[in-house]
Amino acid sequence: MASSAIASSSTPFINKKDVGLSALSSQPSFSIHTGRKRVPKKIVSVMTPQQTERKPATTGSVKTGMTMTEKILAKASDKPEVSPGDNVWVNVDVLMTHDVCGPGSIGIFKKEFGQNAKVWDREKLVIIPDHYIFTTDERANRNVDILRDFCTEQNIKYFYDIKDLGNFHANPDYKGVCHVALAQEGHCRPGEVLLGTDSHTCTAGAFGQFATGIGNTDAGFVLGTGKILLKVPPTLRFVMDGEMPDYLLAKDLILQIIGEISVAGATYKAMEFVGSTVESLTMEERMTLCNMVVEAGGKNGIIPADKTTYDYLEGRTSVPYEPVYSDEGARYLKEYRFDVSKLEPLVAKPHSPDNRALARECKDVKIDRVYIGSCTGGKTEDFMAAAKVFLASGNKVKVPTFLVPATQKVWMDVYSLPVPGSGGKTCSQIFEEAGCDTPASPSCGACLGGPKDTYARMNEAQVCVSTTNRNFPGRMGHREGQIYLASPYTAAASALTGYVTDPREFLQ
């Protein structure tokens, strides 16, 4: 799907323009209901043949073509069609909250609906303690107690509790970082509306659903009614084509996009990702892509569901779901095109995610530490990528390198799954040989600072290369710390040299 409009300059950004009609990678709408059974092959192709006439949307007959985001919100608001700027009452499929915002949301719910009120649906509420867990901070621990009491009172079906803070393995229900746990536990499904009291709830858009973060007040209202008033966002379309170089990861793609449009470039807009490169990404890499749309101000990110999506969901959920796809006549606010084969490894320099630079141009930046973890960079494939770099080098790390798996499942994968090409070694064995810290208990802790006794928190003014998603002053603890956002490849390469390092030094 290479474009003849590719510019001859060195930038991989090809073209951006106002468009009225979608073009490449369009798929007609169709209904699908799946649970634990495998989806028939005839309806799960990444690309379906072009139709002479556009099939009607699953939301009913429409006068104007709609984007994926518009279709989901139309269906959830029981309307045949919606347009950007419309305010609609939306029925919520899943509400997630955690230990930071959960107590406040519960307080508002009880204040407005009554001390004895019941939540709208005990099976559609998912409560995941994950942020300030492994700490002696009494107020942080009290937050988890409040969640536990509420879930007992309301008989909440999906509460991933933790009681033994000394050994997370002693808590079979404890999962870890909410955005990764939501996917692993089957709460992310195509065509649905998922809300969470966390800005990175947009991660779930990787599954072809509308997913966005909300505040405590809105969450309190959803707890009582199952509804929320939303303004339909216009959609920006990002077409990413070309073969993905073996030294790039999805983190590089989203840093490229944010650097191109700025941290305000998608304010209250949907960001739709399509193209042959996106189709080739695994689910975990798609989650990384959608995770950081909020760093561009995006309301939500979204990727069309396909066989990769259905294969991931198989066995994880028994809830029927109905994917939707943008119409051929859908209208986009803007379209951006990238030739991914021309991209190079990137970093975001302090103190903004759009402060983009080539990793090779920052080779003189001396660093004090490396952090690999979080909802953005703490998934199984992220640790596999870091292990690949350490394995290729065979050297020891030059700076402290902290590893925090996102969830208990990821932690187990780090210790059990062999790394391809390693002769059977696991990530944990490779990390130990490289001199990294022992993988820690799954949580969000150091990514956003946390209490001072949080593992890997920056308590000094240091320079850190991190696979996390934000590098604002104070984000990982000390407000004079400097954070360089990078992919797991770049983070691991930097750990080996003690400087910001292009991973191609070890991968080529």
Side-chain angles (χ1 to χ4, degrees):
M1 296 168 63
S3 171
S4 59
I6 296 177
S8 59
S9 64
S10 59
T11 176
F13 175 64
I14 300 173
N15 180 352
K16 64 179 180 180
K17 59 182 180 179
D18 294 326
V19 294
L21 300 177
S22 63
L24 304 176
S25 300
S26 296
Q27 289 181 286
S29 300
F30 55 79
S31 298
I32 176 173
H33 292 271
T34 182
R36 298 184 183 278
K37 296 181 179 180
R38 184 175 292 278
V39 180
K41 292 184 179 178
K42 64 179 181 180
I43 59 171
V44 296
S45 61
V46 176
M47 290 287 292
T48 53
Q50 291 290 330
Q51 306 291 322
T52 54
E53 294 184 6
R54 178 175 56 80
K55 292 184 178 180
T58 56
T59 52
S61 60
V62 295
K63 296 179 181 179
T64 305
M66 291 191 290
T67 66
M68 291 176 64
T69 294
E70 292 160 9
K71 283 188 178 182
I72 293 171
L73 295 181
K75 177 186 174 185
S77 59
D78 299 317
K79 293 181 179 294
E81 64 178 306
V82 296
S83 299
D86 289 351
N87 292 303
V88 293
W89 283 104
V90 172
N91 295 307
V92 179
D93 294 294
V94 176
L95 172 66
M96 182 280 298
T97 191
H98 50 53
D99 53 301
V100 174
C101 298
S105 301
I106 291 168
I108 292 169
F109 165 69
K110 286 184 172 290
K111 176 184 176 182
E112 300 299 333
F113 292 91
Q115 290 298 314
N116 298 319
K118 295 295 182 183
V119 298
W120 98 102
D121 192 324
R122 73 176 192 87
E123 295 190 9
K124 291 186 176 182
L125 176 61
V126 182
I127 297 185
I128 308 179
D130 66 345
H131 274 58
Y132 304 149
I133 304 302
F134 303 103
T135 173
T136 58
D137 188 286
E138 293 182 358
R139 288 174 295 181
N141 294 335
R142 176 56 183 154
N143 273 12
V144 180
D145 294 338
I146 292 172
L147 298 183
R148 185 179 302 114
D149 292 344
F150 181 74
C151 289
T152 299
E153 169 197 309
Q154 298 282 335
N155 192 25
I156 301 302
K157 184 175 182 179
Y158 299 110
F159 173 45
Y160 298 109
D161 196 8
I162 183 167
K163 295 180 180 179
D164 187 341
L165 302 183
N167 177 17
F168 71 91
H169 294 299
N171 305 271
D173 292 334
Y174 178 68
K175 302 303 173 186
V177 179
C178 57
H179 309 300
V180 181
L182 280 169
Q184 291 178 345
E185 299 304 312
H187 299 295
C188 302
R189 293 176 290 265
E192 292 192 350
V193 173
L194 184 153
L195 305 179
T197 56
D198 188 289
S199 60
H200 291 107
T201 301
C202 52
T203 305
F207 291 84
Q209 65 183 149
F210 178 86
T212 195
I214 60 173
N216 291 5
T217 303
D218 281 343
F221 185 82
V222 175
L223 283 172
T225 66
K227 296 179 180 293
I228 188 171
L229 182 65
L230 290 175
K231 182 171 72 171
V232 179
T235 298
L236 300 176
R237 192 169 189 250
F238 297 85
V239 183
M240 310 191 81
D241 287 316
E243 184 177 354
M244 185 92 149
D246 58 9
Y247 46 80
L248 292 184
L249 293 169
K251 183 67 168 288
D252 297 293
L253 304 186
I254 192 62
L255 288 179
Q256 173 69 28
I257 289 172
I258 296 171
E260 191 70 45
I261 69 174
S262 85
V263 289
T267 301
Y268 210 94
K269 298 175 181 66
M271 296 174 68
E272 182 177 310
F273 302 101
V274 297
S276 60
T277 306
V278 177
E279 292 162 5
S280 72
L281 297 178
T282 65
M283 283 312 303
E284 289 195 354
E285 284 284 83
R286 295 179 188 189
M287 289 166 66
T288 298
L289 196 60
C290 288
N291 174 273
M292 288 186 64
V293 301
V294 70
E295 265 60 74
K299 182 65 174 176
N300 67 299
I302 195 163
I303 295 173
D306 59 15
K307 187 177 185 300
T308 300
T309 318
Y310 308 141
D311 286 347
Y312 184 94
L313 291 174
E314 185 175 358
R316 297 181 189 270
T317 183
S318 59
V319 178
Y321 55 83
E322 184 180 0
V324 299
Y325 301 93
S326 295
D327 293 321
E328 290 184 25
R331 287 185 274 190
Y332 295 90
L333 189 64
K334 275 187 180 181
E335 184 176 274
Y336 297 82
R337 293 177 176 272
F338 297 86
D339 181 352
V340 172
S341 67
K342 295 183 178 180
L343 284 176
E344 296 184 51
L346 298 170
V347 297
K349 299 186 295 183
H351 294 284
S352 180
D354 64 358
N355 193 10
R356 181 186 62 188
L358 295 174
R360 60 179 171 83
E361 293 178 343
C362 300
K363 62 182 180 180
D364 294 329
V365 176
K366 190 177 185 304
I367 64 173
D368 301 300
R369 50 157 54 197
V370 166
Y371 183 89
I372 300 176
S374 86
C375 55
T376 318
K379 302 178 289 301
T380 298
E381 292 176 14
D382 298 317
F383 287 104
M384 286 284 184
K388 180 180 176 182
V389 175
F390 291 136
L391 188 68
S393 165
N395 298 328
K396 296 275 190 178
V397 298
K398 295 289 200 310
V399 295
T401 302
F402 304 100
L403 311 168
V404 184
T407 64
Q408 186 152 193
K409 182 184 183 305
V410 175
W411 191 97
M412 294 172 65
D413 289 345
V414 166
Y415 277 88
S416 62
L417 296 182
V419 176
S422 69
K425 292 181 180 179
T426 64
C427 287
S428 62
Q429 290 173 312
I430 294 171
F431 294 151
E432 183 178 3
E433 292 173 0
C436 302
D437 262 31
T438 301
S441 303
S443 81
C444 298
C447 174
L448 70 163
K452 287 192 175 181
D453 63 348
T454 298
Y455 172 78
R457 184 186 191 272
M458 288 177 63
N459 291 322
E460 302 175 54
Q462 295 180 315
V463 179
C464 178
V465 172
S466 178
T467 64
T468 55
N469 44 44
R470 288 180 178 157
N471 57 353
F472 310 138
R475 173 65 181 182
M476 293 186 70
H478 200 288
R479 60 184 176 183
E480 294 180 11
Q482 297 185 52
I483 303 167
Y484 285 77
L485 302 178
S487 77
Y489 279 162
T490 302
S494 302
L496 290 168
T497 65
Y499 292 82
V500 175
T501 301
D502 188 318
R504 287 176 291 186
E505 290 191 19
F506 302 104
L507 294 177
Q508 286 188 336

